[in-house]
Amino acid sequence: MRSYELTGKKCYDHLGGKLGAALFDFLILQKWIELKDGTTATYVVTEAGYENFAEMGLALPKTITK
């Protein structure tokens, strides 16, 4: 049995909890995401983020059409 579990909580389509916070911190520290200019709470994927996500097999669209 594990003495510590890093858990995440799903809230609608978002990941929260300690796991969500740890992933967010990692993405910021690695500069895979950054705060969008002129905002206080909106983050965008950086070029380094796109490249690293793609290497992991996660191809993110650079634009989203609705």
Side-chain angles (χ1 to χ4, degrees):
M1 183 168 149
R2 293 184 212 168
S3 60
Y4 176 75
E5 259 185 13
L6 188 61
T7 61
K9 298 174 186 168
K10 184 176 178 190
C11 178
Y12 299 99
D13 63 347
H14 299 79
L15 178 62
K18 290 181 181 179
L19 177 57
L23 288 170
F24 178 80
D25 290 344
F26 173 84
L27 296 174
I28 292 290
L29 288 171
Q30 297 301 312
K31 299 185 191 289
W32 291 13
I33 63 171
E34 65 186 9
L35 196 57
K36 183 177 179 178
D37 287 338
T39 69
T40 59
T42 301
Y43 290 82
V44 294
V45 179
T46 64
E47 280 302 315
Y50 281 111
E51 292 170 11
N52 284 289
F53 286 126
E55 285 181 23
M56 294 174 16
L58 178 61
L60 298 172
K62 291 201 175 186
T63 59
I64 297 176
T65 56
K66 292 185 177 185

